[in-house]
């Protein structure tokens, strides 16, 4: 029990940034836009959050700044893709490269500085329940927020009219346009939401997961988030599952390595990726489900004249 | 409200130019409340452009729109709906991955209680004989069922003016009859209907006034009762319709296509399983298969053209060869050509140009490959030949298939298959959404192909068409084929019974 609880707690911290980024990308993709710039938006969120907390000392301001940073990055993407009809794939890739470079430049003076981490919020009474209280009710604000966002996104997509319109735009932008919905505006907002969420996911890395700044500290998590969305067949509940599965195996293999099991460490490091892919591929093997949930216009440019 | 105008909607001097063409040129149109008004014209006559301007999708270059005598500027479809205009599109504006009720909700301008809406849909659809399950997902529905969504969606808005772009092309005669009763009731209730159709008998049956367009200009506005179908057609096309001489003498040759007790399980929960299909089509004959949308037509076509292989090679024989396990290309090579119902995305790749699209089905039979590369000269010559012989209206073979109007693309696809000299042709819905002139050309070509000795199988929901061109006719219902009867010995009512799965011998003859 003494080893288990800290291990489980680290799983949660490993999953949270993925969850933010993947949820944001899910909403973006549901509107029919493929943004491959998650990694770049996350890493920008991480550095801006860290810089803000370093100079102001306010975690709240830092999270808000990361959110803005991610949204701003995605706005560049949105303008290029929606207004100038740039192809989505290379534009997204460029955004990632741009984000990694810019964050390294901004973060030069931040290397080697430490931060004490986001304050832990204990929910009164509930958090004093043994084991469960420790696991479920004693976290920083972003962990709570990430879980809340899963349900918020679910509600938005499947219960609200705005979510229905967003799914419609992702399914057939021509039909949505013919009905008088503003495809460009809806996609712009979806992209901004995706960027903001990726920014917050990045902030979690530099403010809570390992509260310091290292160049390229996202270490490919943006790509994992992207894969999670696809393998979760664009469903928020499965994104939650996938993110925790990935986080879980990441931590488990670290502990296994520490125990000195005779498996090459490279193979161990591969495990979380492999397991996530395998599990999600099995889940998503139902073709009809995929047809139902995948946005049909994903990645296609929209020309209102046609 | 200004009630001085007798017209609900009045268009004055509407013009709209696209790069290279004047789509509509100074067109006037008037509709009174409660009037069913026809808009007639061939493909490319400017009908779609005109209604898109009424519905706020296109902005007119010149002209004015008066609603109840008040000049309005319709900038968006939402604005049009606010004014009381609803529209059933020819190309459906539907979202495949959403349910029927979601789709309908999206067409409304305000938020709805989904449960209430679902109830309204069920109620309305039954009242008007257009049954629809609100919870079904659109991708599981047939074309006919999809159209019902569009119609119901419009009716839910209680519009003052209903614009319908060829609404009956995918309905059964019974459904058409019910729809006409509905439309007449709506018009009695004071709703005006702008009815776009190529079917002159429908216009005669339903409409009181008609505006005829040709090449973007208004030819005339007439009272339908003063005109005959022939005179309307003549105004529309500037020439008389050529009738099909029904060849009864045609010598039947050997069996080209033989299906022996073909069973095919349904692909998914919503698909139709084919059961015990027996069919033979001989050289020189046209065989028609009628049926209500979604009774296994798509599955039958896929089984015959090789998209869906059967379990046993012997269940389908082409030219005496067991072909059940062959793929589409092998079947093409031994002489079977097919034209699917869905033009864009099945019959043609929307974003590829016409030359590329003609290559896709003809490359083996016509040898359009040279040294493993596309012989682009031969391919574009072939495409040009199709365009010329079937008078496809397009600037060149270089334009993407998606930019052609529905009827023009259909002419192209049919032409592409016919010019490959197939020994057997399977066509689904050959003239859906095609104007009267072009439809007649396509039917003549199909007959001519049979006269040259090919076997032709037509799967269609247009009964008049089947009765006109087929030698023998049957129906598909719930994945089973009825018996086939010589067209000369069967009445429309009897075919209707076959379509409902009733056996004529047990049904009609016993009653009579």
């Amino acid at each position: 029990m003494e080893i288990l609880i800290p291990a489980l707690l680290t799983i949660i911290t490993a999953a949270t940034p993925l969850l933010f980024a993947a949820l944001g990308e899910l909403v973006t993709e549901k509107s029919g836009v493929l943004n491959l710039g998650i990694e770049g938006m996350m890493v920008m969120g991480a550095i801006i959050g860290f810089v803000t907390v370093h100079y102001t000392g306010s975690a709240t301001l830092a999270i808000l700044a990361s959110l803005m940073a991610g949204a701003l990055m995605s706005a560049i993407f949105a303008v290029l893709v929606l207004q100038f009809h740039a192809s989505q794939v290379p534009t997204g890739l460029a955004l990632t490269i741009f984000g990694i470079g810019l964050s390294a430049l901004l973060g030069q003076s931040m290397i080697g500085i430490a931060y004490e981490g986001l304050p832990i919020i204990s929910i009164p009474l509930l958090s004093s329940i043994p084991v469960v209280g420790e696991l479920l009710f004693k976290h920083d604000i972003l962990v709570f927020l990430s879980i809340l966002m899963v349900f918020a996104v679910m509600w938005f997509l499947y219960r609200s009219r705005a979510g229905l319109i967003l799914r419609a735009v992702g399914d057939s932008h021509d039909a949505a346009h013919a009905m008088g919905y503003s495809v460009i505006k809806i996609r712009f907002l979806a992209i901004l939401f995706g960027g903001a969420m990726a920014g917050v996911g990045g902030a979690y890395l530099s403010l809570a997961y390992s509260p310091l700044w290292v160049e390229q500290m996202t270490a490919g998590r943006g790509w994992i988030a992207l894969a999670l969305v696809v393998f979760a067949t664009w469903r928020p509940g499965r994104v939650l599952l996938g993110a925790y599965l990935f986080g879980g195996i990441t931590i488990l293999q670290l502990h296994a390595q520490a125990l000195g099991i005779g498996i090459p460490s490279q193979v161990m490091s591969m495990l979380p990726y492999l397991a996530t892919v395998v599990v999600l591929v099995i889940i998503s093997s139902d073709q009809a489900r995929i047809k139902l949930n995948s946005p049909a216009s994903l990645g296609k440019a929209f020309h209102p004249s046609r | 409200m200004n009630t001085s105008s007798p017209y609900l909607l009045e268009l004055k001097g509407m013009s709209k130019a696209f790069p290279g063409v004047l789509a509509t040129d100074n067109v006037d149109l008037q509709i009174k409340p409660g009037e069913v008004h026809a808009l007639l014209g061939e493909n490319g006559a400017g009908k779609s452009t005109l209604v898109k301007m009424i519905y706020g999708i296109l902005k007119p270059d010149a002209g004015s729109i008066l609603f109840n005598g008040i000049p309005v500027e319709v900038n968006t479809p939402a604005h049009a709906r606010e004014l009381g205009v609803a529209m059933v599109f020819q190309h459906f504006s539907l979202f495949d991955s959403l349910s029927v009720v979601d789709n309908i909700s999206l067409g409304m301008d305000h938020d709805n209680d989904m449960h209430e809406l679902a109830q309204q849909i069920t109620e309305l659809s039954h009242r008007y004989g257009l049954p629809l399950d609100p919870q079904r997902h659109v991708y599981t529905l047939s074309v006919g069922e999809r159209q019902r969504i569009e119609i119901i969606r419009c009716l839910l808005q209680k519009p003052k003016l209903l614009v319908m772009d060829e609404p009956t092309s995918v309905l059964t005669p019974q459904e058409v009859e019910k729809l006409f009763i509905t439309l007449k009731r709506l018009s009695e209730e004071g709703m005006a209907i702008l009815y776009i159709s190529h079917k002159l008998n429908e216009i005669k049956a339903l409409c009181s006034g008609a505006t005829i367009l040709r090449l973007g200009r208004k030819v005339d506005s007439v009272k339908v009762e003063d005109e005959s179908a022939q005179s309307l057609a003549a105004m529309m096309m500037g020439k008389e319709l050529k009738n099909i001489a029904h060849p009864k003498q045609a010598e039947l040759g050997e069996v080209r296509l033989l299906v022996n007790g073909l069973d095919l399980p349904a692909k998914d929960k919503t698909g139709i399983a084919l059961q015990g299909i027996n069919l033979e089509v001989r050289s020189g004959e046209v065989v028609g298969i009628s049926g209500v949308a979604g009774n296994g037509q798509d599955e039958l076509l896929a089984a015959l053209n090789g998209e869906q292989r059967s379990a046993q090679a012997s269940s389908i024989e082409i030219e005496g060869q067991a072909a059940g396990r062959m793929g589409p290309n092998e079947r093409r090579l031994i002489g079977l050509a097919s034209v699917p119902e869905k033009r864009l995305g099945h019959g043609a790749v929307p974003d590829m140009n016409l030359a590329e699209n003609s290559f896709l089905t003809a490359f083996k039979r016509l040898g359009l490959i040279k040294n493993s590369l596309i012989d682009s000269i031969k391919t574009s010559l072939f495409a040009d030949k199709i365009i010329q012989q079937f008078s496809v209206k397009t600037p060149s073979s270089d334009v993407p298939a998606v930019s052609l109007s529905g009827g023009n693309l259909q002419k192209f696809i049919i032409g592409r298959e016919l010019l490959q000299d197939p020994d057997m042709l399977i066509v689904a819905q050959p003239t859906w959404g095609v104007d009267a002139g072009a439809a007649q050309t396509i039917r003549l070509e199909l007959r001519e192909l049979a006269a040259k000795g090919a076997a032709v199988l037509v799967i269609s929901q247009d009964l008049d068409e089947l009765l006109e061109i087929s030698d023998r006719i049957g129906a598909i219902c719930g994945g089973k084929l009825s018996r086939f009867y010589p067209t000369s010995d069967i009445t429309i009512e009897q075919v209707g019974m076959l379509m409902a799965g009733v056996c004529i011998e047990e049904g009609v003859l016993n009653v009579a």
Side-chain angles (χ1 to χ4, degrees):
Chain A
M1 203 46 79
E2 270 156 38
I3 310 172
L4 197 62
I5 292 181
L8 288 175
L9 284 175
T10 41
I11 290 175
I12 296 174
T13 57
T16 301
L18 288 176
L19 194 50
F20 273 116
L23 279 175
E25 178 70 7
L26 183 138
V27 170
T28 306
E29 289 193 14
K30 268 290 188 188
S31 81
V33 179
L34 181 67
N35 186 351
L36 295 184
I38 313 177
E39 183 83 4
M41 301 186 297
M42 274 182 97
V43 79
M44 281 302 288
I47 184 60
I48 297 293
F50 195 77
V51 168
T52 312
V53 87
H54 178 69
Y55 285 113
T56 66
S58 160
T60 315
L61 274 183
I63 292 170
L64 287 177
S66 303
L67 187 144
M68 295 295 292
L72 263 177
M73 286 287 285
S74 69
I76 302 174
F77 174 82
V79 169
L80 289 174
V81 162
L82 299 175
Q83 238 56 52
F84 297 108
H85 304 299
S87 175
Q88 295 177 9
V89 170
T91 311
L93 289 174
L95 193 70
T96 286
I97 298 166
F98 171 63
I100 290 172
L102 185 61
S103 63
L105 180 71
L106 293 174
Q108 267 174 346
S109 56
M110 292 291 136
I111 295 169
I113 300 172
Y115 166 60
E116 74 270 22
L118 289 177
I120 301 294
I121 301 171
S122 298
I123 296 178
L125 294 179
L126 287 176
S127 62
S128 47
I129 305 171
V131 187
V132 177
E134 183 95 354
L135 275 181
L136 298 182
F137 302 109
K138 227 174 140 184
H139 293 291
D140 57 69
I141 178 84
L142 288 182
V143 171
F144 291 124
L145 193 67
S146 69
I147 303 292
L148 213 65
M149 284 312 289
V150 175
F151 293 101
V153 167
M154 269 185 198
W155 179 86
F156 169 77
L157 283 179
Y158 296 103
R159 288 279 171 272
S160 78
R161 183 171 170 82
L164 177 62
I165 294 171
L166 181 124
R167 284 188 287 140
V169 167
D171 191 68
S172 165
H173 45 221
D174 292 323
H177 177 66
M179 277 183 184
Y181 292 111
S182 172
V183 175
I184 301 285
K185 193 178 96 193
I186 290 159
R187 289 200 167 153
F188 206 109
L189 293 175
I191 293 171
L192 283 187
F193 177 79
M197 291 286 279
V200 175
Y204 190 81
L205 289 173
S206 65
L207 298 180
Y209 185 71
S210 52
L212 45 81
W213 167 250
V214 185
E215 255 183 48
Q216 294 200 36
M217 71 181 302
T218 43
R221 284 185 182 79
W223 300 109
I224 292 293
L226 190 79
L228 277 178
V229 175
V230 177
F231 290 125
T233 58
W234 293 272
R235 300 211 302 182
R238 287 185 176 175
V239 166
L240 177 71
L241 180 77
Y244 273 79
L245 185 77
F246 183 83
I249 297 176
T250 308
I251 300 305
L252 242 115
Q253 59 94 10
L254 278 180
H255 283 273
Q257 279 188 39
L259 288 176
I261 292 175
I263 301 171
S265 67
Q266 290 87 346
V267 173
M268 295 297 276
S269 312
M270 224 163 69
L271 267 184
Y273 300 88
L274 208 62
T276 309
V277 168
V278 168
V279 169
L280 290 171
V281 162
I282 293 169
I283 291 179
S284 62
S285 58
D286 184 352
Q287 285 301 314
R289 281 250 156 260
I290 294 191
K291 177 127 190 173
L292 206 57
N293 289 301
S294 70
S297 306
L298 186 61
K300 289 182 194 157
F302 171 64
H303 298 281
S305 53
R306 245 192 7 210
Chain B
M1 268 288 156
N2 181 351
T3 47
S4 65
S5 166
Y7 299 114
L8 175 72
L9 175 78
E10 204 175 351
L11 304 181
K12 282 182 182 164
M14 301 288 279
S15 294
K16 174 82 190 171
F18 292 114
V21 265
L22 198 54
T24 62
D25 182 8
N26 201 20
V27 173
D28 297 342
L29 182 93
Q30 291 102 14
I31 305 171
K32 288 179 194 154
E35 181 189 358
V36 185
H37 192 92
L39 188 57
L40 257 177
E42 288 202 280
N43 286 325
K47 299 170 307 222
S48 292
T49 308
L50 191 66
V51 292
K52 276 182 183 165
M53 289 192 283
I54 299 174
Y55 199 57
I57 297 172
L58 288 176
K59 214 177 151 67
D61 295 337
S64 52
I65 301 174
L66 281 78
F67 214 79
N68 284 320
I70 305 162
V72 286
E73 215 169 286
V74 190
N75 293 320
T76 62
H79 188 199
R81 288 193 288 264
E82 221 170 274
L83 289 167
V85 182
M87 177 154 171
V88 178
F89 291 91
Q90 185 184 3
H91 297 289
F92 310 145
S93 304
L94 293 176
F95 305 100
D96 282 354
S97 69
L98 304 182
S99 68
V100 170
V101 61
D102 283 344
N103 266 282
I104 289 181
S105 166
L106 282 164
M108 323 277 272
D109 288 317
H110 48 86
D111 207 347
N112 312 282
D113 182 321
M114 287 295 184
H115 292 285
E116 214 172 278
L117 188 62
Q119 267 173 9
Q120 282 181 329
I121 293 166
T122 313
E123 188 200 341
L124 204 64
S125 66
H126 279 106
R127 195 163 86 215
Y128 292 138
L130 308 161
L132 256 189
D133 175 0
Q135 302 307 336
R136 284 272 296 272
H137 287 274
V138 169
Y139 75 93
T140 66
L141 302 179
S142 68
V143 180
E145 289 169 309
R146 284 171 197 221
Q147 189 187 41
R148 289 178 201 160
I149 304 177
E150 294 271 345
I151 295 175
I152 301 271
R153 169 153 70 193
C154 288
L155 293 183
L156 276 167
Q157 294 167 19
K158 303 191 174 66
K160 295 193 192 94
L161 172 67
L162 183 62
V163 183
M164 305 192 93
D165 199 349
E166 301 186 27
T168 61
S169 38
V170 289
L171 304 181
T172 61
Q174 285 85 352
E175 283 174 322
V176 171
E177 235 165 72
K178 274 186 187 161
L179 178 70
F180 277 18
I181 295 171
T182 309
L183 293 181
K184 279 176 181 159
R185 196 195 307 165
L186 290 170
S187 105
E188 276 159 21
E189 287 167 11
M191 189 190 294
I193 296 167
L194 183 59
Y195 190 88
I196 303 172
S197 176
H198 303 304
K199 295 187 182 168
L200 300 166
N201 55 344
E202 280 180 4
I203 287 167
K204 286 289 289 174
L206 185 71
C207 304
S208 52
T211 297
I212 298 112
L213 297 184
R214 186 165 75 221
L215 300 171
R217 291 215 180 88
K218 183 174 122 175
V219 179
D220 204 355
S221 254
V222 295
K223 271 191 176 164
V224 172
E225 55 186 333
D226 300 342
E227 301 291 329
S228 67
Q230 265 73 23
S231 66
L232 287 172
M235 274 189 271
M236 182 168 99
M237 293 187 292
K239 55 182 186 273
E240 297 283 335
L241 278 178
K242 195 168 146 198
N243 263 324
I244 287 186
H246 211 259
K248 277 281 145 264
Q249 81 298 342
E251 279 288 302
L252 288 191
E254 74 276 26
V255 177
R256 298 231 150 172
L257 175 69
L258 185 67
V259 184
N260 303 315
L262 169 74
D263 287 308
L264 202 66
K267 240 190 308 182
D268 53 43
K269 275 176 290 200
T270 54
I272 302 280
L274 296 178
Q275 301 162 44
I277 302 284
N278 286 307
L279 177 70
E280 66 171 44
V281 189
R282 288 168 177 275
S283 160
E285 71 172 342
V286 177
V287 173
I289 297 179
S290 58
V292 184
N295 266 295
Q297 287 95 330
D298 299 347
E299 287 81 358
L300 182 63
L301 181 85
L304 293 180
N305 72 11
E307 282 173 53
Q308 185 74 41
R309 295 174 205 216
S310 15
Q312 280 156 351
S314 60
S315 54
I316 296 174
E317 282 178 25
I318 297 171
E319 303 277 10
Q321 292 185 50
R325 303 288 307 155
M326 288 185 184
N329 274 327
E330 290 168 86
R331 295 192 200 191
R332 280 190 178 281
L333 212 53
I334 54 174
L336 179 132
S338 78
V339 177
E341 169 178 349
K342 215 174 105 196
R343 291 184 273 257
L344 283 175
H346 197 176
V349 183
D351 289 329
M352 285 192 179
N353 69 32
L354 296 180
E356 288 162 335
N357 267 300
S358 51
F359 173 85
L360 285 175
T361 70
F363 70 100
K364 280 207 167 155
R365 220 172 147 74
L366 297 186
L368 299 179
I369 289 185
K370 202 167 74 184
N371 305 327
S372 319
L373 296 172
I374 298 176
D375 187 341
S376 52
I377 296 171
K378 239 171 144 183
T379 303
S380 63
L381 280 178
F382 175 54
D384 290 340
K385 194 170 147 198
I386 303 170
I387 292 168
Q388 204 189 0
Q389 285 201 13
F390 287 81
S391 36
V392 179
K393 278 174 198 142
T394 171
S396 74
S397 64
D398 220 15
V399 304
V402 68
S403 67
L404 261 62
S405 72
N408 258 322
L409 185 60
Q410 184 71 357
K411 283 196 272 186
F412 179 80
I413 292 173
I414 298 230
R416 175 183 72 186
E417 302 306 328
L418 288 178
L419 288 184
Q420 295 178 44
D421 283 324
D423 300 319
M424 236 163 305
L425 179 69
I426 305 169
V427 207
Q429 306 281 30
T431 60
W432 178 36
V434 177
D435 67 66
Q440 204 66 352
T441 316
I442 288 174
R443 289 178 196 143
L444 282 170
E445 292 285 352
L446 291 177
R447 283 269 20 142
E448 204 172 296
L449 182 72
K452 277 193 276 183
V456 180
L457 181 66
V458 182
I459 304 172
S460 173
Q461 285 158 39
D462 185 340
L463 253 191
D464 293 332
E465 167 175 288
L466 286 179
L467 291 171
E468 186 183 328
I469 64 172
S470 345
D471 298 306
R472 289 190 298 136
I473 191 166
I476 187 165
C477 179
K480 292 183 187 156
L481 266 188
S482 73
R483 275 187 56 191
F484 282 77
Y485 299 86
T487 312
S488 45
D489 301 350
I490 197 165
T491 64
I492 269 217
E493 287 72 26
Q494 285 173 323
V495 180
M497 292 177 66
L498 292 179
M499 288 163 74
V502 180
C503 184
I504 294 187
E505 280 71 20
E506 289 161 14
V508 167
L509 296 182
N510 286 352
V511 174

